[in-house]
Amino acid sequence: MAQAEDTVEPLLQQFQQLFFISKIAGILPQDLEKFRCRNLLEKSRNGMIYMLSTLILYVVLYNILIYSFGEEDRTLKASQSTLTFVIGLFLTYIGLIMMASDQLTALRNQGRIGELYERIRLVDERLYKEGCVMDNTTIGRRIRIMLIMTVIFELTILLTTYVKLVDYSQWMSVLWIISAIPTFINTLDKIWFAVSLYALKERFEAINANLEELVDTHEKHKLWLRGDQQVPPPLDNSQPPQYDSNLEYLYKELGGLDIGSIGRSSVSGSGKNKVAPVAHSMNSFGEAINAASRKAPPPPLPSNMVQESELGNVAKVEEKLNNLCQVHDEICEIGKALNELWSYPILSLMAYGFLIFTAQLYFLYCATQNQSIPSLFRSAKNPFITVIVLSYTSGKCVYLIYLSWKTSQASKRTGISLHKCGVVADDNLLYEIVNHLSLKLLNHSVDFSACGFFTLDMETLYGVSGGITSYLIILIQFNLAAQQAKEAIQTFNSLNDTAGLVGAATDMDNISSTLHDFVTTTMTPTG
């Protein structure tokens, strides 16, 4: 056990950079000193106070941002349809809701997260005993790549929007930096989930690779045994050489050899050019085949080089398969616990991604029609910035869905690899063991969902894509109807104003005529 603990590298050792950034941003409340010294996630009262303080600060600053840039939103209600105003008002706060759900969930689960990674460390020790050494350096590289991509996307969106679409001549424009805080915190939180999920997928694949290695080793062992049995026996000098009956005409033509006399060691024939053939007795180098066959046979393979197979020993392989299936069950339970810890943040992210993707495309359409849009969605005025925003938002959702689906597939593939062991071994007792363990694997499959509302798989991704398209068409149709109604009202009002002016002019003419008649009648002398 001590040797395993010294050899197995803790998974949290690769999370140091991510933990420090998350700690500064106020995402995790765990103790900083214990993580730095022992790579452990433990509760901390000071960390909890700091996290709540940052949450309150972010909420206050975000509302100041909305108030500072709210002049456009106040004119939006008067100039645009009520639908556009309501959508903008709701989506303005959905990013803040998503950020709050991430931080509050991390605060509630601060003790359980440490237990989760401790269970992963124990799984690594058990895998090490079965010959599976986990290399966590790939996880460290993946974390660094995700952090770099997050910084690039956030800075690109923030700077391009600030330079092109914000009036940075005013000092209040500096508050635009606050608009990037909710998405940045959400991305950091989802990196924790994604990397932990990837670590579980690697451990499922390690078990599958170990089972596949058992199958390959046994197949090589069977080939080695089959090749040993197919070695041709040495030639016997007491037996006459064997001739091919199809070449009888050639033997008669060359030396008058009577094929039937070969067995009686009699050679007779008549021919001008008699040749006493010795069939198959000489090779192309003029050496006797029998002499060559009398050479010493190649030495047998040493016993340590023979392909040995664990599947040949049922008692030994039963223990190994039982241990691997128990580790598989433990990884499935860890996956379920991981899904439970991040269920609400995943649900809020998927809702945010669906709404933001649809709204961003809808506001892009509004911008092309020279319509006013909410202030915090001014990035929709520029198609290039819109593409970056949509790529960043959809990339997080699609990657988590894809990774969850691949992890679930890797867990279910273990049963297939296990059955391959039974097939290649072709042993009744091993078949019974494999069938018994397959039932266990079937009852311990893992699927990832968002609070049980929908499963994170490719079918859900297809449904979300169709939903975005449908709702976008509906919003555009409502917008067209609202604009047509507004134009009709404006036309009607203009017609009423024109009719009013014409009526007023007619009344003035009538008054002028009446006044003229009165003056004429009064001023005319009576005769």
Side-chain angles (χ1 to χ4, degrees), residues 97-243:
I97 296 173
M98 178 183 63
M99 181 193 69
S101 67
D102 293 337
Q103 292 183 290
L104 293 177
T105 303
L107 188 63
R108 186 193 66 176
N109 299 325
Q110 58 175 320
R112 300 173 61 187
I113 294 178
E115 297 175 357
L116 182 74
Y117 289 103
E118 178 64 20
R119 293 173 66 181
I120 295 177
R121 188 188 64 81
L122 296 176
V123 164
D124 291 346
E125 292 180 1
R126 297 175 65 179
L127 288 175
Y128 177 79
K129 293 179 181 180
E130 301 301 328
C132 301
V133 181
M134 302 307 304
D135 184 13
N136 294 326
T137 56
T138 57
I139 294 179
R141 289 196 299 267
R142 186 174 290 264
I143 291 175
R144 288 189 289 271
I145 292 174
M146 289 183 180
L147 289 175
I148 292 173
M149 292 183 63
T150 301
V151 172
I152 291 175
F153 272 107
E154 291 288 352
L155 289 179
T156 302
I157 296 172
L158 179 64
L159 295 179
T160 52
T161 306
Y162 183 78
V163 172
K164 291 183 173 295
L165 303 174
V166 177
D167 186 11
Y168 49 86
S169 60
Q170 300 179 0
W171 70 271
M172 292 292 290
S173 62
V174 180
L175 293 174
W176 186 255
I177 301 175
I178 303 172
S179 63
I181 291 178
T183 54
F184 179 71
I185 289 179
N186 176 260
T187 305
L188 290 180
D189 181 74
K190 298 309 173 290
I191 290 177
W192 279 90
F193 175 77
V195 176
S196 303
L197 192 60
Y198 179 78
L200 296 184
K201 184 176 78 72
E202 278 196 332
R203 279 139 185 85
F204 281 127
E205 292 177 348
I207 295 176
N208 298 339
N210 197 309
L211 295 175
E212 295 288 345
E213 185 179 357
L214 289 178
V215 174
D216 294 340
T217 304
H218 192 73
E219 288 180 345
K220 291 178 181 178
H221 180 70
K222 292 170 64 177
L223 290 175
W224 180 82
L225 293 177
R226 191 180 302 118
D228 187 37
Q229 295 172 358
Q230 290 180 353
V231 174
L235 295 176
D236 188 0
N237 295 333
S238 63
Q239 297 179 358
Q242 301 295 324
Y243 290 89

